[in-house]
Amino acid sequence: MDTTTTPHNGALRQLANLPGPAGLPFLGNALQLRPKKVHADVEAMVHRFGPLFRLRVGRQQALVVADAALVSGILRDRPDGFRRPDVTAQVSDEMGGERGVFLAEGAAWRNQRKMVMQAFAPHAIKAYFPLLARVGARLQARWEQAARAGRPIALNADLKRFTVDVVAGLAFGEEVNTIEHGDDVVQQQLELIMEGTARRSLLPVPYWRYVKLPFDHRLEAAVAALRAATDGFIAKARQRMRDEPARAAHPQNMLEAMLAAADQEGSGIDHGAVVGNVSTMLLAGEDTTSSALAWLAWLLARHPDALRRAQEEVRRVAPDAAAFTIEQMDQLEYIDACAHEAMRLKPPAPFIPLQANRDCVVGDVQLPQDSIVWCVLRHDSVSEAKLRNAAAFDPQRWLDGGPARQLAMPFGAGPRLCPGRYLSLLEIKVAMACMLGRFDLVAVEGDSAEYHGFVMAPGALTMRLSPAAG
């Protein structure tokens, strides 16, 4: 038996004997977990039952862990000690998904991780920066039209267009330009697939294996459309690399970098792994960054002092979207702090469910192999007992150092730390520089409730900008 964290002195507790919410026969606590509010429902249970308690969905029991040190230990024990829950992989397999780095485990994950890290390395992202800057300039032009006309901006939709255009351009060399031309077929399918994956992973009964509802038929059609688009991206990249063999040594986008890494002798990467990682980039790259940006804009609109400081930094360091450089983005230290503070309060991933690969001990709880562990990432990071003025939006805490860096884990921790974190933060800086460099942020209004699908995001928000004076 392995010890994930140092147990308390004394006898170990068993999962079945832990406190937890009372449930129903067969369903367990499933009816107490609302699909779009599941993160908030579990967080409320933490306040009632403490940082270690039992939860049951159907016949599956889970250990809920809300202590940041324990969560960090669990995340750092991946992939050897813990894996994604089997149900997540099963849902993906049933939807025809190939297992990219997000779902891969063991040796397959190690092979794919090397490939993906090459594609997402900071020096590789910097080489693609001119395209990212072009997408940002398009977003700024779209917002300028709205600002001069006095029209409200559909914030969520515009930010999703921005992130889709970035992912398609940087990752696949495809300038789909949804900012100017409207929704792309890929964007149209992403939200449905993310909603379907989240919904099926939480249901106690896999009804879709026996009867398909209209939603399930729409979901299958979306999966087929995404797979066709993914195959198209890969085929075009392969053709470009055949036409220009030098691209293997100097790839022009992330997909080419992945294909070049996969083609190396002994890579252990097949076509399915490339397909899985293309899909992962589309799914993860669109929603996580756009939701983080939406929350950041909403928070800045409610904190004028932070907004003024962020605006001053942008106008001093990177005032002109047409002349953005990667060096300017690296100098936006306060914007970076704002992004981290927004993700502390409103993390795109407020929890991570995992499954034990072996018998282990978490805290003072003994867990048998294959137990589910529900890691709550937003508890200690917003606790007054752990962090001073924890409920306040205070970006300065990230510049001063301190406990926030250990308590907040927006990109995870350990070996499976999100490989796209540098790109995500760079996208946030570019979008915020485009907003604050040319406009004054008047208001962000609408449905600011938290909804969980593939990630935790606000409802529909509208933003009002005015052209900056002078």
Side-chain angles (χ1 to χ4, degrees):
M1 179 184 298
D2 286 298
T3 301
T4 297
T5 59
T6 302
H8 298 166
N9 293 328
L12 295 177
R13 294 187 291 171
Q14 304 300 310
L15 179 58
N17 298 330
L18 293 183
L24 296 173
F26 184 67
L27 292 177
N29 306 115
L31 297 183
Q32 297 162 264
L33 302 174
R34 298 166 293 173
K36 290 188 177 296
K37 298 284 187 177
V38 63
H39 67 292
D41 292 336
V42 175
E43 288 172 354
M45 293 175 184
V46 173
H47 289 290
R48 180 180 176 188
F49 297 106
L52 287 169
F53 66 91
R54 160 191 53 76
L55 189 68
R56 185 164 64 86
V57 177
R59 291 176 293 181
Q60 180 70 64
Q61 285 199 111
L63 172 66
V64 177
V65 183
D67 178 277
L70 296 181
V71 169
S72 178
I74 291 167
L75 296 181
R76 294 177 189 283
D77 196 17
R78 300 173 67 201
D80 295 330
F82 294 88
R83 66 185 185 275
R84 293 279 180 186
D86 292 344
V87 65
T88 305
Q90 291 166 3
V91 166
S92 177
D93 292 345
E94 289 175 346
M95 291 168 58
E98 303 284 355
R99 296 193 185 183
V101 72
F102 183 77
L103 288 176
E105 299 291 346
W109 171 79
R110 288 183 172 85
N111 289 333
Q112 293 187 35
R113 177 74 171 183
K114 180 180 178 182
M115 172 185 70
V116 171
M117 289 304 291
Q118 285 183 246
F120 278 101
H123 71 271
I125 300 297
K126 290 178 181 179
Y128 313 142
F129 180 76
L131 194 150
L132 173 54
R134 288 201 301 273
V135 175
R138 290 179 197 144
L139 181 67
Q140 188 182 70
R142 180 183 178 90
W143 286 349
E144 186 161 18
Q145 291 178 354
R148 295 195 180 282
R151 295 194 310 269
I153 293 163
L155 182 60
N156 314 58
D158 274 9
L159 292 175
K160 287 180 180 180
R161 290 188 180 98
F162 169 69
T163 54
V164 165
D165 285 1
V166 168
V167 170
L170 296 185
F172 314 128
E174 298 279 337
E175 293 205 44
V176 296
N177 197 2
T178 64
I179 291 174
E180 294 179 342
H181 300 150
D183 291 348
D184 176 74
V185 64
V186 172
Q187 185 184 2
Q188 294 170 12
Q189 312 306 331
L190 287 175
E191 287 190 29
L192 184 59
I193 294 172
M194 289 185 285
E195 179 185 354
T197 302
R199 178 191 294 189
R200 288 185 173 184
S201 295
L202 289 171
L203 287 173
V205 179
Y207 73 85
W208 59 90
R209 296 174 187 170
Y210 312 103
V211 59
K212 287 185 170 58
L213 303 177
F215 174 84
D216 300 293
H217 291 296
R218 295 196 302 274
L219 178 59
E220 289 181 355
V223 169
L226 180 62
R227 179 58 185 262
T230 298
D231 288 342
F233 286 140
I234 294 173
K236 290 180 182 178
R238 283 286 188 197
Q239 188 60 52
R240 288 194 300 267
M241 295 175 78
R242 284 193 293 269
D243 294 341
E244 302 175 51
R247 284 179 180 261
H250 303 284
Q252 302 298 303
N253 53 68
M254 292 182 196
L255 177 53
E256 291 178 7
M258 284 199 299
L259 291 171
D263 289 343
Q264 293 174 6
E265 186 176 353
S267 71
I269 303 298
D270 58 13
H271 177 76
V274 175
V275 169
N277 283 291
V278 170
S279 301
T280 296
M281 281 193 283
L282 285 169
L283 292 167
E286 189 240 24
D287 228 28
T288 52
T289 302
S290 63
S291 65
L293 273 166
W295 284 123
L296 176 53
W298 182 80
L299 285 163
L300 284 173
R302 279 151 183 77
H303 295 84
D305 290 343
L307 175 60
R308 279 193 294 272
R309 184 170 172 183
Q311 195 171 55
E312 184 279 328
E313 181 181 67
V314 167
R315 294 179 183 182
R316 173 173 48 83
V317 174
D320 183 4
F324 279 169
T325 66
I326 191 73
E327 290 76 20
Q328 288 176 330
M329 297 302 107
D330 288 341
Q331 292 174 44
L332 294 177
E333 295 180 355
Y334 191 70
I335 296 295
D336 185 77
C338 288
H340 280 89
E341 180 70 347
M343 287 187 285
R344 180 185 68 84
L345 294 168
K346 302 289 188 180
F351 65 87
I352 298 178
L354 298 170
Q355 193 161 358
N357 288 332
R358 59 203 176 200
D359 293 349
C360 63
V361 173
V362 176
D364 66 342
V365 179
Q366 181 175 315
L367 288 179
Q369 182 178 346
D370 293 328
S371 296
I372 297 296
V373 179
W374 186 288
C375 298
V376 177
L377 273 67
R378 185 179 59 175
H379 180 259
D380 283 3
S381 61
V382 293
S383 169
E384 290 291 338
K386 300 286 185 178
L387 195 64
R388 184 179 178 184
N389 297 324
F393 177 71
D394 180 12
Q396 183 62 38
R397 72 173 89 238
W398 293 90
L399 300 175
D400 293 341
R405 295 181 182 275
Q406 286 72 50
L407 298 173
M409 294 172 272
F411 298 107
R416 296 198 70 151
L417 188 72
C418 175
R421 62 194 180 281
Y422 181 80
L423 173 59
S424 180
L425 289 169
L426 189 57
E427 288 180 77
I428 290 172
K429 290 178 183 179
V430 168
M432 295 309 298
C434 288
M435 178 194 299
L436 301 178
R438 185 169 291 185
F439 310 105
D440 291 324
L441 178 56
V442 178
V444 177
E445 301 168 327
D447 184 1
S448 60
E450 297 177 354
Y451 298 98
H452 198 281
F454 191 77
V455 300
M456 193 270 284
L461 296 175
T462 58
M463 179 174 67
R464 289 187 178 273
L465 301 174
S466 65

